[in-house]
Amino acid sequence: MLRTALRNVLAHKARLLMTVLAVMLGVAFVAGTLVFTNTISDAYQKSSQKGFQGVDVAISPDKKDDDSAIPGEAPRLSQQVLDKAAKVPGAASAYGVVNGYSALADKKGDLLGGGFSNRGGNYYPGADGKDARYTMTEGRAPKAAGEIALDSKTAERGKYKAGDSIRVSVDGPVRTEKVVGVFTTDDGNVAAGGTLALYDTVTAQKLFAKPGQFDEIDVKAAAGTSQATLKSALDKVLPEQAKATTGKKLAKDQAKAIEEGMSSMQTAMLVFAGIALFVGIFIIVNTFSMLVAQRTRELALMRAVGATRRQVTRSVLMEATFVGAVAAVVGLAAGVGIGALLRSVLNSTGASVPDGPLIVAPTTVLVSVLVGVVVTVLSAWLPGRRAAKIPPVAAMNSVHAAPTTRGLVVRNTIGSLFAAAGVALVVSGAGMGGSDGQGPMAFGAAVLVIGVFILTPLLSRPMIAAASPVLRIFGMPGKLARQNAVRNPRRTAATASALMVGLTLITGMTVIAGSMQKGINNMAADGLKSDYVVSMGGDGVRPLSPEVSKSLAKVPEVTAISPLRSSPARVAGDTETLMGVDPKAIKELVNVDFTEGSFGALGGTKVLVDDKIADENHWKVGSAFPVTYEDGSKGRLTVGGVYEGNQMVNGVMLDSATVSPHMTTVADFQVMLKTKGGATQDTQDLLKKTLGDNPAIKIQNKQDLSDEIAKAFTLMLNMLYGLLGMAVIVAVLGVINTLAMSVFERSKEIGMLRAIGLDRPGIKRMVRLESLVISLFGGVLGVGLGVFFGWAAGELIAAELPTYELVLPWARMSLFLLMAALVGVIAALWPARRASKLNMLMAIKAE
């Protein structure tokens, strides 16, 4: 039976080619994902380990939180702690570390590093005048205010060299510094495309901390002293709010964090690899089902000469094993290439990856081979089981028994139950809202897809029949195409389902993305009256100097302005964020509805609270409550008004003059302003000029805010389109495979059609129309399911985003259906050409 299986594979190698390609693509995706993520993870881990080579023990602040503590930054380390650490037995040297945000402009005025990671730090020279963390390759280290050193990658990108001037922004205002040196570093953020600027320690402390304070102290052990011994010695002299950690543990923790970060990317990519493999299952089942049907007489003869059912099943499964093994090996090789390509693509985007070898782990090889073989064998099991049921008497007749009516009734009943259960679960999950509904909805979606797949043979007849009026236009080829498409509903269903899965996901995500965009636009329109919101670049939450709002307030076109300040506090025993605003201007800048009170009550110790906080604490206008400010001082505030919170404005709002004296560092996180004539390009240019054309500061109108939030969704959607493109490619292979094998199966019939007058163009048209009908059938099912799932997921999102509004992207859905039609046309090119070239006499004689 083993020899028979091998001979069958070799005999049908052309018909098995598409199956090999489908499995190969899925395996290549899996292998490529594993190679790519393992390579990136290894490169970053080794890079981070290099960064800790000069650190034996790191001392960092350790805030001891309790229920009464104010959430916020831990206190920094003093010069006294540094001096003590340097004198500990076993310590060779110690240096203080200060870091913070420092944006650099290139010579065109644009932000270097794209806001990914723009950091500033200090150069802390040791006894030899050098800082072991950084090696100067040009110039010297900064020694005084107004001097700066750049990492070599940043200097290269910005075309800077020692002696040049560079524009810098730390908290808003632009500073012009002199580049005095260029250095190399093993910092992982720099390797990933970020920027690093070094200042002398005194200047760095003024910019990022306070004079005489450090964010971290790194200690180097003397020869013969272990990291553990040094840590124990440091623990004895450190103050309560400081902790020591060995360099080995820091490197280990960093490696673990990198691994966890890459794990989420790996999981996401493997999900799409799984989708491609799932779509490939339809091809495998179709291929082996058709091979079994075409070899009915052969298999029956095997039974007649003594082969048992089990042996026949094993024969089919052995063929599947050979096919899966070949596909897995080729897929693994292709996957290694994909992994290398993905790394190159990542580097080309500017997010450069640290140098390192391509990692092909043993687990990658094992997983790839197992996935290829197991998926193929499991998919071929059902056709193999059917093959075993072929009675020996079938050897006398080339036609095997068709599925019974009872079998179809059972299938349709099961499919209807699955579909109904899936719809019920999805709808109930949508009704729950929030995270509670995610589980039922996800399970219901899977059940519904299975139900629709089971029902596709039943659905194919009426849906394909609906296309009859259009097919009649093409005359006899159109009529024959419709009959061929419904001749074997199971085969048509499996072929269409492969395309359905990909289009369901693509349509669903498009509906969600479009609706999210609408919800974000509504959120900005409903929550803001201001024309512009000013903030720092990057993540937009870095502090702005109060000088920014003062400068903008002097612009004649500005009619109302309010800086927004954020300060953590304990409010009535809970952790809350106090938002400081200008009580006179805020009513002109935000749009909120009050359930009690008004903006007029805001000022002094009177505050405004959103309805959620008020309900939780049973507050109303006039309610007084205790507060512990950021600096630890206590006071009492009184509710002057209760407003309906939204995504843009919520929490406890109070006068900036009340909260500012209690802030550790007085800074704004945003500045809102309104201008004469509303938001115009001229006004925006004027505001930028007022702030010195600062590349680190964002000046955004409502549309800019919406676009920035939506940009992340658009980028993610485009990535998902690309990943799901693999599933669509596999689906195309499925259509080609089904049509090619169907043409072979119907050789005699095609020969007869040619003999009675159907010309070669007519044969081509028949095959193309059949492919078009099957593809559109899958497209309609996919778009329909995608819209349903998009609506259901939107109900969950609406619970978190009240302004969410369902938007059906008719243009894109039409494009998806056109894409399905294009898939059908392209997939039919080779089978149609092959069918038209059949020799009619040879085809008529074919068995």
Side-chain angles (χ1 to χ4, degrees):
M1 296 304 294
L2 180 63
R3 287 197 301 272
T4 302
L6 182 58
R7 285 172 180 169
N8 280 328
V9 169
L10 296 175
H12 303 108
K13 53 183 177 293
R15 278 175 266 177
L16 289 168
L17 177 62
M18 295 302 171
T19 298
V20 171
L21 284 175
V23 178
M24 183 270 288
L25 284 173
V27 171
F29 207 157
V30 171
T33 297
L34 294 174
V35 169
F36 172 67
T37 52
N38 288 341
T39 298
I40 300 300
S41 179
D42 181 75
Y44 276 117
Q45 285 180 20
K46 288 180 178 176
S47 177
S48 67
Q49 286 171 0
K50 286 181 183 178
F52 290 116
Q53 281 180 355
V55 181
D56 288 314
V57 178
I59 303 170
S60 58
D62 183 26
K63 183 172 182 179
K64 303 295 190 292
D65 290 328
D66 56 49
D67 291 339
S68 62
I70 307 301
E73 292 184 1
R76 290 185 171 91
L77 304 168
S78 65
Q79 183 68 42
Q80 288 79 7
V81 176
L82 175 59
D83 294 339
K84 284 183 180 180
K87 295 175 182 177
V88 164
S93 61
Y95 53 88
V97 178
V98 185
N99 51 54
Y101 179 71
S102 182
L104 307 173
D106 63 18
K107 293 187 176 180
K108 294 180 181 178
D110 297 326
L111 183 66
L112 275 168
F116 165 71
S117 178
N118 305 107
R119 293 175 53 250
N122 69 311
Y123 188 91
Y124 193 91
D128 59 355
K130 297 180 181 180
D131 188 327
R133 298 170 296 172
Y134 312 109
T135 302
M136 288 292 161
T137 58
E138 182 184 342
R140 60 173 175 81
K143 296 179 180 178
E147 296 182 345
I148 194 173
L150 304 179
D151 71 85
S152 56
K153 291 183 181 293
T154 298
E156 183 181 352
R157 287 199 301 268
K159 298 180 180 178
Y160 286 109
K161 61 182 184 299
D164 290 344
S165 293
I166 185 171
R167 297 168 72 240
V168 182
S169 178
V170 172
D171 58 357
V174 177
R175 306 161 54 91
T176 299
E177 311 280 5
K178 182 180 180 182
V179 178
V180 296
V182 177
F183 61 90
T184 58
T185 175
D186 292 320
D187 191 306
N189 287 317
V190 172
T195 63
L196 178 60
L198 296 182
Y199 304 82
D200 67 281
T201 297
V202 173
T203 302
Q205 288 174 329
K206 289 179 180 178
L207 294 175
F208 309 127
K210 289 185 178 180
Q213 292 189 342
F214 301 96
D215 295 308
E216 182 177 297
I217 294 171
D218 293 339
V219 186
K220 182 72 175 174
T225 303
S226 69
Q227 291 186 356
T229 302
L230 179 59
K231 178 184 179 302
S232 298
L234 287 167
D235 285 337
K236 296 175 183 177
V237 301
L238 290 180
E240 183 182 355
Q241 291 188 323
K243 66 176 180 179
T245 309
T246 63
K248 287 181 180 178
K249 187 174 188 310
L250 287 173
K252 184 178 179 181
D253 291 344
Q254 180 79 350
K256 185 178 179 182
I258 291 170
E259 189 175 345
E260 288 175 353
M262 295 305 299
S263 176
S264 58
M265 179 193 292
Q266 187 181 84
T267 301
M269 293 180 70
L270 286 176
V271 165
F272 289 95
I275 292 170
L277 283 168
F278 178 68
V279 172
I281 287 172
F282 295 109
I283 299 178
I284 300 167
V285 172
N286 247 3
T287 301
F288 281 93
S289 294
M290 294 174 78
L291 283 175
V292 167
Q294 292 168 14
R295 286 159 46 199
T296 298
R297 180 174 290 183
E298 175 190 329
L299 294 171
L301 280 170
M302 289 174 63
R303 291 289 315 283
V305 297
T308 64
R309 287 189 174 187
R310 187 171 295 178
Q311 285 177 314
V312 171
T313 302
R314 284 178 185 169
S315 174
V316 175
L317 294 182
M318 285 176 190
E319 293 177 38
T321 303
F322 288 132
V323 170
V326 171
V329 172
V330 177
L332 175 61
V336 174
I338 289 173
L341 179 64
L342 287 174
R343 183 171 68 170
S344 299
V345 169
L346 193 63
N347 282 330
S348 67
T349 62
S352 56
V353 178
D355 293 332
L358 204 63
I359 305 298
V360 184
T363 52
T364 301
V365 177
L366 183 62
V367 167
S368 300
V369 173
L370 283 177
V371 165
V373 174
V374 170
V375 167
T376 309
V377 171
L378 289 179
S379 302
W381 176 78
L382 188 58
R385 188 167 170 271
R386 287 181 190 154
K389 290 184 178 181
I390 297 174
V393 73
M396 306 303 173
N397 195 327
S398 62
V399 180
H400 184 46
T404 63
T405 303
R406 180 176 176 274
L408 291 174
V409 169
V410 170
R411 177 175 179 141
N412 294 337
T413 302
I414 293 172
S416 299
L417 291 173
F418 267 82
V423 170
L425 284 168
V426 170
V427 172
S428 64
M432 292 177 188
S435 58
D436 294 338
Q438 291 178 5
M441 185 177 291
F443 181 66
V447 172
L448 177 55
V449 169
I450 293 171
V452 171
F453 169 62
I454 296 173
L455 284 174
T456 40
L458 177 65
L459 297 172
S460 63
R461 289 186 178 277
M463 292 186 74
I464 291 175
S468 294
V470 178
L471 292 175
R472 287 197 191 103
I473 298 173
F474 298 95
M476 185 54 66
K479 182 179 180 180
L480 291 171
R482 183 185 65 80
Q483 291 174 349
N484 289 336
V486 297
R487 177 186 296 182
N488 192 326
R490 287 180 175 175
R491 185 185 301 168
T492 298
T495 306
S497 294
L499 191 58
M500 176 193 77
V501 171
L503 284 180
T504 295
L505 294 169
I506 290 173
T507 304
M509 290 186 301
T510 304
V511 169
I512 293 170
S515 302
M516 283 287 291
Q517 174 69 69
K518 182 67 173 177
I520 292 165
N521 290 341
N522 291 342
M523 178 180 70
D526 294 347
L528 293 178
K529 287 183 183 178
S530 64
D531 294 319
Y532 295 102
V533 174
V534 181
S535 62
M536 286 296 285
D539 55 17
V541 298
R542 296 184 176 93
L544 272 170
S545 167
E547 295 300 319
V548 172
S549 62
K550 290 178 182 177
S551 298
L552 292 172
K554 295 176 183 177
V555 178
E557 281 75 6
V558 175
T559 58
I561 184 168
S562 174
L564 274 60
R565 293 176 182 169
S566 176
S567 177
R570 298 286 295 182
V571 175
D574 294 325
T575 300
E576 294 289 352
T577 299
L578 303 179
M579 183 169 67
V581 300
D582 183 331
K584 294 179 181 178
I586 194 64
K587 62 184 177 182
E588 302 293 330
L589 302 170
V590 298
N591 187 27
V592 294
D593 295 323
F594 283 87
T595 57
E596 285 187 276
S598 67
F599 278 117
L602 183 62
T605 58
K606 285 192 174 182
V607 302
L608 306 179
V609 298
D610 67 43
D611 50 354
K612 184 178 178 182
I613 295 175
D615 290 342
E616 288 175 353
N617 293 280
H618 307 291
W619 289 340
K620 57 183 180 181
V621 170
S623 298
F625 56 89
V627 59
T628 303
Y629 293 102
E630 185 179 350
D631 62 355
S633 61
K634 300 180 184 296
R636 289 186 71 79
L637 299 174
T638 304
V639 177
V642 179
Y643 65 93
E644 294 179 5
N646 55 51
Q647 296 292 318
M648 303 297 293
V649 185
N650 54 64
V652 179
M653 195 186 306
L654 75 167
D655 190 341
S656 290
T658 303
V659 71
S660 295
H662 303 290
M663 295 176 67
T664 304
T665 302
V666 178
D668 308 323
F669 70 90
Q670 277 183 351
V671 176
M672 290 184 176
L673 54 93
K674 202 168 182 64
T675 59
K676 295 175 183 177
T680 65
Q681 188 60 50
D682 289 341
T683 303
Q684 194 164 359
D685 292 341
L686 176 61
L687 297 176
K688 286 182 179 178
K689 187 176 180 181
T690 302
L691 296 177
D693 291 319
N694 193 328
I697 293 182
K698 296 186 294 188
I699 302 174
Q700 299 171 295
N701 57 31
K702 292 179 186 178
Q703 191 58 50
D704 293 334
L705 287 169
S706 298
D707 291 345
E708 182 179 54
I709 300 171
K711 187 177 180 181
F713 295 107
T714 303
L715 178 62
M716 186 180 298
L717 186 65
N718 290 336
M719 288 176 61
L720 295 178
Y721 280 163
L723 293 170
L724 285 171
M726 182 70 74
V728 175
I729 292 172
V730 174
V732 172
L733 293 177
V735 179
I736 295 172
N737 197 42
T738 301
L739 288 173
M741 295 188 72
S742 180
V743 166
F744 179 84
E745 191 177 72
R746 303 199 313 256
S747 295
K748 188 171 185 178
E749 175 189 321
I750 291 171
M752 290 294 294
L753 289 171
R754 291 275 288 113
I756 61 176
L758 190 62
D759 57 10
R760 287 185 174 180
I763 294 292
K764 285 184 179 180
R765 198 174 300 121
M766 176 187 72
V767 176
R768 288 170 184 164
L769 289 172
E770 180 183 350
S771 174
L772 183 64
V773 166
I774 293 173
S775 297
L776 281 174
F777 171 49
V780 169
L781 285 179
V783 170
L785 279 175
V787 169
F788 177 66
F789 290 145
W791 163 81
E795 293 297 302
L796 296 183
I797 296 171
E800 304 296 328
L801 182 65
T803 55
Y804 182 90
E805 183 180 329
L806 180 66
V807 175
L808 294 181
W810 295 106
R812 287 210 175 186
M813 290 192 295
S814 300
L815 184 64
F816 295 154
L817 288 176
L818 283 174
M819 185 178 75
L822 184 63
V823 164
V825 172
I826 293 173
L829 290 177
W830 178 61
R833 186 168 178 272
R834 182 182 176 189
S836 68
K837 288 194 170 186
L838 284 175
N839 183 293
M840 71 177 74
L841 294 178
M842 296 297 293
I844 291 171
K845 291 194 298 179
E847 289 292 335

